């Protein structure tokens, strides 16, 4: 009697399956994963990062108040805010998708991601990212029509492309230590100066300087987030600036990013009576720096991230009001 053939025992190389959309985080077949809920999708938007979109618009609008003619435009300010928020949320979902399909989130120690956890289909997450990019594009187009500054369409297109290829594409620049450059340029200089320019047709010194300041705070938020994931990103081959600098140097660099805006604030103190009040924001910034320099666990760094985001929001609101009033 012939023996039945045994099933194939062919070994599957994990490296060859890394990043496939069917099991983006290395999830084993047959394992039941709960589907993403509304709360999961809201979490995927990473609300704690939204101050990075709000603050530069507040600063840009405050700077626009300084130009007596034609004066600021609240409709244009709201459209600029819609663009910034849509791009921020869009890049968050795009990162979720790209890191998930690459298998990067398999090593993640922070809050779980939609794609990496298998709670949502990669294509669905990518579609949601594109929807928000589209909403940002529509708001930007309306803003361009109102201002007749058609060349800004190029700036908007570059911003969307840069947002997607931060972690997307074959060679994402976020994997080569350039993430801080992106957030400094687009969530610092471009968002702040762009808000001012679309309202008053010019960009003053206050707008540029405040854009630099909030750009540094955006870098601080990204840095503390990446410090938490240094070891995991090394395993995944993601070379963030934190990975390239190492743990200790990254923590020091975070402190520099977080505190430089308050050095820049000296300029505003010299000319605007309410500007000194912005130094009260150090009540959030200093604890964030202390925690980051001394933290030993990921939850501590998450607290530092939240404090840094709060610092950015308060700094933008406080200095924007000081300029306007």
């Amino acid at each position: 009697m012939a023996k039945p053939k045994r099933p194939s025992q062919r070994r599957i190389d994990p490296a060859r399956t890394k990043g496939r959309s069917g099991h983006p985080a290395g999830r084993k077949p047959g394992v039941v994963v709960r589907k993403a809920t509304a709360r999961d999708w809201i979490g995927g938007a990473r609300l704690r990062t939204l101050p990075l979109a709000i603050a530069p618009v507040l600063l840009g609008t405050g700077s626009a108040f300084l130009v007596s003619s034609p004066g600021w435009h609240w409709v244009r300010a709201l459209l600029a805010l819609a663009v910034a928020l849509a791009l921020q949320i869009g890049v968050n979902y795009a990162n979720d998708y790209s890191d998930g399909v690459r298998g990067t989130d398999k090593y993640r120690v922070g809050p779980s991601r939609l794609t990496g956890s298998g709670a949502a289909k990669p294509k669905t997450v990518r579609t949601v990212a594109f929807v928000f990019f589209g909403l940002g594009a529509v708001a930007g187009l309306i803003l361009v029509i109102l201002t007749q500054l058609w060349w800004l369409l190029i700036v908007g297109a570059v911003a969307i492309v840069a947002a997607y290829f931060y972690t997307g594409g074959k060679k994402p620049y976020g994997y080569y230590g350039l993430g801080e450059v992106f957030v400094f340029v687009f969530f610092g200089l471009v968002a702040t100066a762009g808000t001012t320019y679309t309202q008053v047709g010019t960009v003053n010194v206050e707008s540029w300087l405040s854009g630099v300041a909030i750009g540094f705070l955006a870098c601080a938020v990204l840095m503390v987030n990446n410090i938490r994931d240094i070891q995991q990103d090394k395993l995944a081959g993601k070379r963030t600036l934190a990975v390239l600098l190492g743990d200790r140097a990254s923590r020091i660099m975070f402190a520099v990013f977080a505190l430089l805006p308050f050095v820049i604030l000296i300029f505003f103190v010299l000319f605007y009576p309410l500007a000194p009040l912005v130094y009260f924001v150090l009540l959030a910034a200093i604890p964030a720096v202390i925690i980051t320099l001394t933290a030993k666990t990921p939850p501590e760094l998450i607290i530092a991230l939240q404090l840094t985001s709060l610092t950015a929001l308060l700094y933008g609101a406080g200095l924007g009001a000081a300029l306007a009033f």
Side-chain angles (χ1 to χ4, degrees):
M1 182 175 180
K3 294 182 180 180
K5 293 182 179 181
R6 301 178 68 180
S8 173
Q9 299 295 321
R10 182 170 61 88
R11 176 183 174 84
I12 297 176
D13 184 359
R16 296 179 60 186
T17 60
K18 181 179 179 180
R20 292 182 183 175
S21 60
H23 302 293
R27 178 164 48 95
K28 295 179 180 180
V31 175
V32 178
V33 178
R34 79 177 169 81
K35 294 184 178 180
T37 63
R39 183 174 182 178
D40 294 324
W41 283 103
I42 293 173
R46 301 182 214 173
L47 301 184
R48 64 170 64 94
T49 66
L50 296 190
L52 302 183
I54 299 171
V57 175
L58 294 176
L59 290 169
T61 301
S63 298
F65 265 95
L66 300 175
V67 181
S68 58
S69 178
W72 79 293
H73 297 269
W74 67 271
V75 173
R76 297 181 188 181
L78 289 178
L79 285 170
L81 180 61
V83 172
L85 287 172
L87 290 185
Q88 179 67 67
I89 296 173
V91 76
N92 288 342
Y93 283 121
N95 291 348
D96 188 304
Y97 163 76
S98 298
D99 284 343
V101 297
R102 273 193 172 82
T104 304
D105 285 340
K106 178 171 62 177
Y107 306 98
R108 184 175 173 79
V109 296
S112 63
R113 299 281 183 83
L114 292 163
T115 308
S117 66
K121 294 180 179 179
K123 289 184 179 180
T124 303
V125 178
R126 184 180 60 184
T127 299
V128 172
F130 286 161
V131 166
F132 277 98
F133 287 148
L135 291 173
V138 170
L141 178 59
I142 296 173
L143 186 57
V144 166
I145 293 173
L146 290 177
T147 62
Q148 295 294 295
L149 299 170
W150 298 101
W151 61 271
L152 287 178
L153 290 174
I154 299 175
V155 177
V158 171
I160 292 174
V161 170
Y164 180 77
F165 285 102
Y166 169 51
T167 57
K170 293 183 178 180
K171 291 186 178 181
Y173 61 87
Y175 278 57
Y176 295 92
L178 297 175
E180 281 75 9
V181 175
F182 165 73
V183 299
F184 180 82
V185 171
F186 289 100
F187 288 98
L189 299 178
V190 173
T192 307
T195 298
T196 303
Y197 190 75
T198 54
Q199 293 184 56
V200 295
T202 187
V203 182
N204 47 25
V205 174
E206 289 82 357
S207 183
W208 286 119
L209 276 180
S210 60
V212 170
I214 205 63
F216 281 132
L217 284 172
C219 290
V221 170
L222 181 59
M223 178 62 77
V224 71
N225 182 72
N226 289 340
I227 289 172
R228 182 194 64 203
D229 296 327
I230 285 180
Q231 295 304 319
Q232 292 72 31
D233 285 342
K234 282 183 180 179
L235 292 173
K238 186 177 182 179
R239 301 171 64 203
T240 63
L241 183 59
V243 169
L244 296 175
L245 292 177
D247 184 78
R248 185 171 183 178
S250 297
R251 293 172 191 253
I252 295 172
M253 183 59 71
F254 166 82
V256 172
F257 285 149
L259 297 178
L260 267 179
F262 297 94
V263 177
I264 295 173
L265 185 59
I266 294 173
F267 167 82
F268 296 97
V269 169
L270 296 176
F271 300 101
Y272 300 97
L274 295 179
L277 296 176
V278 182
Y279 277 109
F280 280 107
V281 181
L282 283 169
L283 293 174
I286 290 178
V289 170
I290 293 174
I291 292 172
T292 301
L293 292 175
T294 60
K296 298 184 183 300
T297 64
E300 292 175 277
L301 291 171
I302 291 176
I303 293 174
L305 187 154
Q306 293 171 337
L307 285 172
T308 309
S309 293
L310 178 62
T311 297
L313 180 60
L314 295 178
Y315 188 97
L319 184 54
L323 295 175
F325 304 109

